[in-house]
Amino acid sequence: MSTTQSTIQPTAAPEKLGIGARFSIHPHCDDFVPVILGALEDVEAAGLTDGLVLETDDVSTYVGATGAPAEERLARYLTGVIAAAARRSDGGHVVAHVLLSRGCPGERTCDLAVTSLPTPEPVTVEATGVAATAHWSLYPLLDGGSDDGDHMAHIEAAIAAAQRRGTASAAAHYATRLSGDVADVLATAVDAWAQVGAHVPHVVSHLTVSIASPSAGPAQ
Amino acid sequence: MSTTQSTIQPTAAPEKLGIGARFSIHPHCDDFVPVILGALEDVEAAGLTDGLVLETDDVSTYVGATGAPAEERLARYLTGVIAAAARRSDGGHVVAHVLLSRGCPGERTCDLAVTSLPTPEPVTVEATGVAATAHWSLYPLLDGGSDDGDHMAHIEAAIAAAQRRGTASAAAHYATRLSGDVADVLATAVDAWAQVGAHVPHVVSHLTVSIASPSAGPAQ
């Protein structure tokens, strides 16, 4: 906590909120390397990396937001790279794992507990034509003594919003099943995560996004 | 909350605590279906499914613990199935994603907030000879008004324990890097998750476990 906490602006910059993601993409094919590298090139060529910092290691890729609108940039980038991998897989099975994070105390540069958090706008992400099914989990990281109530109330409100949107199709153990265009699936998770972030400083969400699974039945 | 809360035993049964996991395995090869199905058969043949309930859908597999020691059964099963997939991939790249959960209010059958939570024993998992690198995150889901302090203190204690154990090799954005035999990587995450669970009723952990990545450098 710095001595300048009282001067922090109500709408903190994305990098001050530590808004970002980690993701990994898993094409289930022998030629997975060119699929992944090609998808990363596709989204860069499409201009979807603007306002983002990318760092790839051998497990996953970090995407940090450096420019507003941070949530929309992340949603468009993640949608774009997953859809690109699906297209490059020619209908093959592709899975992506996504971690969304905001306000992690190890990342941020100010004491969020004393700032006014920004109220995010819903993101707009163009449909891709790629259908996906995901298992989605949302974690509001409250602390003892805070006034933010119980974490399940935030989760239940997010699930209700996803049901109204039409992407939440069923509950699973420890996760909610989302189905739809990969753009709608990602937008649902990003909007919920950002919405909880207007009340709780540190919020994380995980998605396992599956495309063209051979064990998938009819769309549900 | 029932009127019998005061009679709840200090060591609640695993199914009452909702102890379980979800996982998905991603062999990066054209023949991924026989690799996955074969790995699931291998762990069943090895008796590693005893005391567990399994439900597979098109995105991931749920593993619920029904018998003690719940944490060790989960750690051995998850280690076994990931190592089996790696062996069946003949040195190819395999990634697994694991979600560990305990005390989720949607799963459990008693009010954990008023029970005495069990203090878990560290798990023992036989080494596999399969080296893995993982990104690991731990989420203690505290609530406002609880006496459990701040969630980062629990996370930092878990990372310190993993460093003493020798599996935590570096910090990454939003995750800690774990390296070692896949058994040690899983045991590190399971022990940390169970240890926090002795103080916080609802605790979730996620791991992305990578084996034989072509972009991995020397072991670190």
Side-chain angles (χ1 to χ4, degrees), chain A residues 20-26 60-61 63 74-75 77-79 81-82 95-101 134-137 139 182 185-186 189-190 193 204-210, chain B residues 97 139 174 206 208:
Chain A
R22 295 201 78 92
F23 74 96
S24 54
I25 294 187
H26 310 294
S60 63
T61 293
V63 193
L74 283 174
Y77 176 82
L78 293 166
T79 296
V81 75
I82 296 169
V95 171
H97 192 79
V98 177
L99 179 169
L100 303 168
S101 182
H135 284 168
W136 165 52
S137 302
Y139 307 121
V182 67
V185 168
L186 265 293
V190 168
W193 162 74
V204 178
S205 187
H206 281 257
L207 292 112
T208 300
V209 182
S210 178
Chain B
H97 192 79
Y139 306 120
Y174 316 136
H206 281 257
T208 300

Side-chain angles (χ1 to χ4, degrees), chain B residues 8-36:
Chain B
I8 291 170
Q9 297 302 307
T11 51
E15 58 269 33
K16 288 206 172 180
L17 293 168
I19 292 179
R22 296 201 77 91
F23 75 97
S24 53
I25 294 187
H26 311 293
H28 291 62
C29 59
D30 292 348
D31 290 337
F32 66 96
V33 172
V35 170
I36 295 171

